Amino acid sequence: MKIHVQDFDFYYGDTKVLHGINLDVPERQVTALIGPSGCGKSTFLRSINRMNDVIPEARGAGLIEVDGKDIYAPGTDVVALRRRVGMVFQKSNPFPKSIFDNVAYGLRIGGVRDKRALAATVERSLQRAALWNEVKDRLREPAMALSGGQQQRLCIARALAVDPEILLMDEPASALDPIATTKIEELIWELKANYTIVIVTHNMQQAARVSDRTAFFMLGRLVEYAETNTIFMNPKEKMTEDYVTGRFG
Amino acid sequence: MHVLRHFDKDIEEIKAHLLRMGAMVEDSIQQSIRALLEGDLAMAEQVIANDDRIDQMEIQIDQHVIELIAKMQPAAGDLRFVATVMKITPELERIADLAQDVCERVIEMSSEPAIKPMTYLPRLAEDAQKMVRDALDAFVRGDAGLARAVIRNDDVVDQLTEESFRALLTYMLENPRNISPAIRLTFIGKYFERMADGATNICEMVVYLVEGRMIKHSAES
């Protein structure tokens, strides 16, 4: 198991928003987190690379391990953790820099100065994000000039450039048109050969299409976690059935 | 917590449509049995004439289901319902075709010397008819237990078909003039046996609908 979660709770101040989550994420598979708004799935996703640490009065309890190491253990290097566990957000957020500089950003922060090494990594990352052919002739142009779908793939390339093992995606295609969405989904499918992916999505068909396993969250609890085929064809829990069939109001 | 969805109305409509089709198929079986046992040729013609309407219903249900898949992308129980309907309608249509085949043989036999080797056929026909009726009831009620009972009864029907064939064979050996009508009755026995197979297939899908388990080609079926 790449990620092991045991009895994990999460609080915003005094409010408990995640209750005793137990879940194992297999390596090099896509795990989808689904559930209605406010069910805790994004909070849970952000707990996996401690992105919630920046929120005042937010705290977790319980165990989250990546490769067998407790990521909340004292002395954990959070910057190194986030390099291994990259994140892509709902709204693409390129920096107001060139396409090249966006992808090279993390490497430069990490101290890489060698121009050839930078160029090679930028190219490889853009290729992995299925964007290289569209931008190879205009790497010095501003990232903001790209379309929404391209910007999102640029953000994925930026995340890939620092060579992570896990990619967390928080509704990565919800702001995109159907064609751009298809490209992101294809990309997720290809990336899982090399990366472990956890994706939060409101689009249940997307979860059904891209993921190997699906976790259904409700009111801060993990209701059901199983192979995606099971969740969408024959879920065990009535609450899951009601949610995936849209009977849930 | 539940909301009534547009989808539920579609599902109820499809179910009602399928049941109307099922009722027509049951009528065809019933009438084909009467045509056979009473030599009622008008009834036989009636069954043959009705088959077009059953074919049309199959097409209408198929179209409705395909529209539903395109627009609603059903999941979980809804998905199993839609998959079940798509498997059940062609089974029903084939069963109706078999009732029509029975009637065609009855009409052909009317110009041949009559034989009376009906020993096992009435029971075979009634069993097959009951299996189809129970299969439809199991679907409507979502009753996997009844579906399994129907599946188990298929062996009984197979046995009756075999016994019917042996009885007819004896008639053929006794007198060559019996061969032609006896062969037609053998066909008819086979048609009822295949109706029972259709009921079994429907019941396998009912178990899938209710439990999410495919029992086709397993020891259970």
Side-chain angles (χ1 to χ4, degrees):
Chain A
M1 285 301 146
K2 190 68 181 174
I3 304 167
H4 170 67
V5 181
Q6 197 178 323
D7 299 327
F8 187 75
D9 301 328
F10 199 85
Y11 301 82
Y12 290 121
D14 293 333
T15 310
K16 193 173 183 180
V17 293
L18 288 176
H19 303 260
I21 306 298
N22 288 289
L23 176 151
D24 284 336
V25 176
E27 189 168 23
R28 293 182 189 187
Q29 287 199 2
V30 179
T31 300
L33 311 180
I34 63 170
S37 296
C39 69
K41 56 192 187 300
S42 289
T43 296
F44 176 67
L45 187 81
R46 288 196 304 266
S47 301
I48 301 173
N49 72 347
R50 293 186 55 172
M51 205 60 107
N52 289 325
D53 286 12
V54 296
I55 301 169
E57 301 201 11
R59 66 189 171 85
L63 180 67
I64 298 184
E65 290 178 347
V66 172
D67 285 332
K69 290 222 172 70
D70 179 358
I71 62 166
Y72 284 90
T76 300
D77 180 346
V78 179
V79 174
L81 171 72
R82 289 180 192 148
R83 201 175 293 133
R84 291 175 65 204
V85 187
M87 192 148 193
V88 176
F89 299 89
Q90 177 178 6
K91 196 170 174 331
S92 57
N93 53 352
F95 304 132
K97 294 168 175 286
S98 73
I99 293 166
F100 185 97
D101 289 344
N102 261 276
V103 182
Y105 189 84
L107 296 165
R108 285 182 174 137
I109 294 276
V112 179
R113 290 284 174 269
D114 182 289
K115 282 189 177 169
R116 270 198 295 188
L118 279 174
T121 305
V122 166
E123 178 176 341
R124 190 180 67 239
S125 305
L126 285 167
Q127 277 178 339
R128 286 191 168 176
L131 189 60
W132 175 251
N133 286 338
E134 293 164 56
V135 300
K136 63 185 175 191
D137 299 325
R138 48 179 176 139
L139 293 173
R140 298 294 164 191
E141 289 180 19
M144 296 301 187
L146 296 172
S147 72
Q150 288 172 325
Q151 286 188 14
Q152 191 61 306
R153 278 180 284 147
L154 180 72
C155 292
I156 292 172
R158 190 174 64 191
L160 297 179
V162 294
D163 211 15
E165 296 155 43
I166 298 168
L167 270 185
L168 308 177
M169 299 182 158
D170 195 352
E171 297 190 52
S174 64
L176 303 178
D177 67 40
I179 294 169
T181 297
T182 305
K183 283 189 179 166
I184 296 288
E185 289 180 9
E186 285 292 326
L187 178 58
I188 291 169
W189 195 250
E190 283 165 22
L191 288 174
K192 78 169 178 175
N194 297 303
Y195 305 93
T196 301
I197 297 172
V198 185
I199 176 172
V200 162
T201 177
H202 271 123
N203 179 338
M204 272 180 295
Q205 289 304 313
Q206 182 170 76
R209 283 190 297 261
V210 303
S211 70
D212 300 288
R213 297 180 68 79
T214 297
F216 169 55
F217 283 74
M218 177 79 196
L219 298 171
R221 293 174 201 278
L222 177 61
V223 175
E224 189 165 356
Y225 177 48
E227 285 192 5
T228 296
N229 283 351
T230 301
I231 295 289
F232 287 93
M233 296 202 309
N234 192 21
K236 297 289 167 280
E237 301 294 330
K238 174 140 192 342
M239 217 184 269
T240 315
E241 168 101 20
D242 286 349
Y243 186 69
V244 300
T245 57
R247 277 188 178 80
F248 203 77
Chain B
M1 290 296 270
H2 283 68
V3 286
L4 183 65
R5 311 160 316 151
H6 183 57
F7 197 17
D8 288 330
K9 195 168 146 271
D10 279 306
I11 283 188
E12 287 310 314
E13 278 175 13
I14 289 173
K15 210 180 220 178
H17 212 147
L18 189 84
L19 288 180
R20 280 200 299 279
M21 182 180 176
M24 287 173 70
V25 172
E26 279 187 51
D27 284 349
S28 285
I29 301 172
Q30 172 72 29
Q31 289 164 358
S32 71
I33 294 173
R34 271 183 61 190
L36 171 68
L37 300 182
E38 298 169 17
D40 186 340
L41 299 187
M43 184 70 79
E45 297 286 0
Q46 179 70 45
V47 171
I48 293 167
N50 279 347
D51 196 57
D52 276 353
R53 285 175 55 207
I54 293 173
D55 291 349
Q56 286 307 312
M57 289 195 86
E58 184 197 11
I59 292 168
Q60 285 167 9
I61 293 170
D62 274 357
Q63 280 174 341
H64 200 160
V65 168
I66 290 166
E67 277 171 25
L68 200 82
I69 293 171
K71 290 192 287 194
M72 302 291 190
Q73 288 122 37
D78 295 337
L79 177 64
R80 298 202 304 278
F81 172 81
V82 164
T84 300
V85 170
M86 289 198 86
K87 292 266 202 177
I88 284 182
T89 37
E91 292 295 346
L92 286 174
E93 190 271 333
R94 269 195 289 274
I95 291 169
D97 282 350
L98 291 163
Q100 182 184 353
D101 290 341
V102 169
C103 292
E104 286 171 355
R105 298 298 85 75
V106 168
I107 291 169
E108 289 162 6
M109 283 165 61
S110 66
S111 57
E112 293 175 340
I115 55 171
K116 282 195 172 180
M118 293 284 196
T119 332
Y120 298 101
L121 265 185
R123 164 91 200 275
L124 172 58
E126 279 161 22
D127 269 27
Q129 181 186 18
K130 183 171 186 308
M131 281 174 69
V132 173
R133 189 168 53 234
D134 286 350
L136 285 167
D137 281 351
F139 169 70
V140 177
R141 303 208 299 254
D143 186 342
L146 178 59
R148 285 194 166 85
V150 173
I151 292 168
R152 281 195 296 275
N153 202 55
D154 195 42
D155 287 344
V156 176
V157 167
D158 288 349
Q159 186 64 33
L160 282 169
T161 309
E162 182 63 22
E163 284 166 6
S164 170
F165 169 68
R166 285 178 191 284
L168 288 163
L169 199 58
T170 315
Y171 273 79
M172 288 189 255
L173 291 169
E174 278 175 5
N175 184 352
R177 291 182 63 215
N178 288 337
I179 290 177
S180 180
I183 285 179
R184 294 193 208 284
L185 285 174
T186 306
F187 280 153
I188 287 174
K190 196 69 191 164
Y191 298 148
F192 284 117
E193 192 239 345
R194 282 169 57 195
M195 288 182 203
D197 288 344
T200 302
N201 292 342
I202 290 171
C203 287
E204 286 167 353
M205 287 311 293
V206 171
V207 173
Y208 174 70
L209 172 67
V210 178
E211 299 177 359
R213 294 175 55 226
M214 283 283 191
I215 61 167
K216 203 177 181 72
H217 305 308
S218 71
E220 213 178 323
S221 68

